[in-house]
Amino acid sequence: MATALKAAVIGTGGISKEHLNFLQKSERAHLVGVCDLSPAAANYACQRFGADSAYLDYRQMLEKAKPDVVHVLTPPQTHKSIATDCLEAGVHVICEKPITPTYAEFKELWSISQNCERHLIEDQNYRFNEPILAIEQLVAAGTLGEVQEVEVRMSLDIRSNSPYGDANLPHPVHKLPAGVIHDFITHLSYLALRFLPDCERISAAWSNHGGDSLFKYDDFDATIIGGSVHGRLRFSCYTQPDCFMVTVRGSKGYAETDLFQPYLRCVVPRSGGKQLTPLINQFVNGWEFMSASLINFRRKILQKTPYEGLQRLLDQTYQALIEGKPLPISFEDMERTSRLVEALLAEENRR
């Protein structure tokens, strides 16, 4: 096996645990450094995940540890400047979403990566969760027929029992163009774009039903039409329970999942004919629900998160870097996502 790449992490917030877990266990990476402005956070991450050293200044880490790859896990407003420094230091960059707050900044950062001849990739982790991969296979095999509708819906109580709701210590994402929802809309967008052609018509409604000044918006509802395919993106912090639903409807049938409580439901014509198809679908999907319930219960006991796709994405990324092959997320994937987010925020597309 090729020599493992030297990896480093900048930012030890909540998502860093998932990245560091991968780096600690992977044979493709060797964790040479972690960096955070907090000495306590940097030292804890260093000890907990077996890094060679802890740093308070990422420029010092770049100079001393000389990593091959850096994971930029800081607030989105800092991504462009930090990633630029890493790229110009000759390091590949894996960046948390959103890769930049605006489409223009993304294009600038991509241009820098090309000039430096370094790779730049955005974390679009849910694309690599097993249920999404399964739905893509159903679409590719023609099982669902021609895709007609795509809906991505997230319900998440971000106003209470959440770091986003603390007015005394406002979360950095409140400063993004769409506030807190901006931190989630990248996920909604890249998942929808897996099944949508180019977006021709967009209509987005942004609301703040809570009415306070901390949140710019707490509700989002958008429709997207690309060719004959209709898409819907929905975010609510009021409907419960929390869910992350993805539904793809075709001319023959539909498939759906909840990435927070993973399962796969597929309703399509069955070999029993039109009369027996509903019963067969109920039986097949009922068995799937039972199996998923047992698996999800086990996941809860083991405190596993919905980030299994991130582990798969990172493993494929490191393998591609080592072997000199195309990365699992392309420029086109990131460009379309950033462009869609920009369009959803545009005044001319609001209703």
Side-chain angles (χ1 to χ4, degrees):
M1 181 178 176
T3 303
L5 296 176
K6 293 189 293 182
V9 167
I10 302 175
T12 60
I15 192 61
S16 70
K17 177 182 176 182
E18 304 298 334
H19 288 256
L20 289 165
N21 268 328
F22 166 80
L23 294 172
Q24 183 183 40
K25 298 173 183 178
S26 175
E27 296 180 354
R28 308 185 198 278
H30 173 67
L31 185 58
V32 296
V34 293
C35 178
D36 197 278
L37 295 175
S38 164
N43 287 323
Y44 171 79
C46 179
Q47 295 172 14
R48 168 67 177 80
F49 296 99
D52 289 350
S53 300
Y55 298 86
L56 303 182
D57 184 335
Y58 72 85
R59 295 179 183 88
Q60 184 184 53
M61 182 174 70
L62 292 174
E63 181 181 349
K64 290 190 173 183
K66 300 187 182 306
D68 300 305
V69 185
V70 166
H71 297 233
V72 177
L73 313 180
T74 55
Q77 298 93 326
T78 67
H79 287 176
K80 182 172 180 287
S81 61
I82 294 176
T84 295
D85 289 340
C86 294
L87 292 166
E88 291 179 345
V91 180
H92 303 299
V93 173
I94 299 171
C95 192
E96 261 302 324
K97 55 77 196 163
I99 190 167
T100 55
T102 67
Y103 177 63
E105 288 176 296
F106 163 70
K107 294 299 291 291
E108 291 176 16
L109 187 58
W110 179 259
S111 178
I112 292 169
S113 75
Q114 296 305 287
N115 290 337
C116 295
E117 298 183 341
R118 297 292 88 185
H119 289 288
L120 172 68
I121 187 170
E122 179 181 44
D123 175 19
Q124 298 187 1
N125 54 288
Y126 286 111
R127 275 180 48 182
F128 297 85
N129 281 41
E130 289 185 4
I132 298 301
L133 296 175
I135 292 176
E136 290 184 350
Q137 289 175 357
L138 290 170
V139 171
T143 305
L144 304 182
E146 294 293 324
V147 174
Q148 303 292 333
E149 297 179 7
V150 181
E151 180 175 350
V152 186
R153 173 186 293 266
M154 182 180 283
S155 293
L156 200 60
D157 185 8
I158 57 175
R159 278 191 168 273
S160 61
N161 300 317
S162 160
Y164 301 108
D166 188 348
N168 297 313
L169 188 64
H171 197 284
V173 298
H174 283 292
K175 295 181 180 179
L176 290 172
V180 174
I181 295 180
H182 204 133
D183 201 33
F184 300 100
I185 197 173
T186 300
H187 289 314
L188 307 184
S189 297
Y190 68 66
L191 286 173
L193 288 171
R194 299 303 295 164
F195 310 99
L196 274 168
D198 287 339
C199 307
E200 299 167 359
R201 286 183 284 165
I202 296 172
S203 179
W206 296 86
S207 304
N208 183 357
H209 296 307
D212 59 75
S213 59
L214 178 62
F215 284 79
K216 291 181 181 179
Y217 309 104
D218 59 13
D219 191 275
F220 165 73
D221 197 355
T223 56
I224 305 165
I225 298 177
S228 62
V229 184
H230 289 234
R232 186 185 187 194
L233 304 183
R234 182 81 176 94
F235 182 96
S236 172
C237 69
Y238 295 102
T239 56
Q240 286 294 299
D242 288 351
C243 71
F244 192 178
M245 303 288 298
V246 179
T247 305
V248 178
R249 294 181 177 273
S251 55
K252 294 181 180 179
Y254 69 89
E256 68 176 16
T257 188
D258 181 348
L259 294 175
F260 288 164
Q261 303 291 336
Y263 67 88
L264 180 65
R265 183 186 184 199
C266 182
V267 177
V268 293
R270 303 288 181 175
S271 57
K274 190 173 182 179
Q275 296 297 323
L276 292 179
T277 283
L279 294 176
I280 297 174
N281 274 318
Q282 287 180 3
F283 176 82
V284 172
N285 288 309
W287 184 259
E288 168 65 28
F289 284 143
M290 289 177 61
S291 299
S293 296
L294 294 172
I295 293 172
N296 289 332
F297 179 74
R298 184 173 182 273
R299 287 165 58 90
K300 289 289 185 182
I301 296 297
L302 297 177
Q303 296 184 323
K304 291 191 175 181
T305 70
Y307 288 104
E308 50 104 355
L310 176 58
Q311 308 299 310
R312 189 172 289 111
L313 166 60
L314 292 177
D315 187 60
Q316 291 181 19
T317 299
Y318 273 80
Q319 182 176 3
L321 290 172
I322 290 170
E323 297 178 356
K325 295 182 178 179
L327 270 58
I329 294 176
S330 67
F331 163 75
E332 289 74 18
D333 295 330
M334 295 184 285
E335 194 271 343
R336 290 186 72 207
T337 300
S338 184
R339 184 154 44 93
L340 175 55
V341 172
E342 190 93 340
L344 292 167
L345 285 161
E347 288 293 336
E348 62 266 26
N349 293 327
R350 298 198 180 199
R351 55 176 167 84

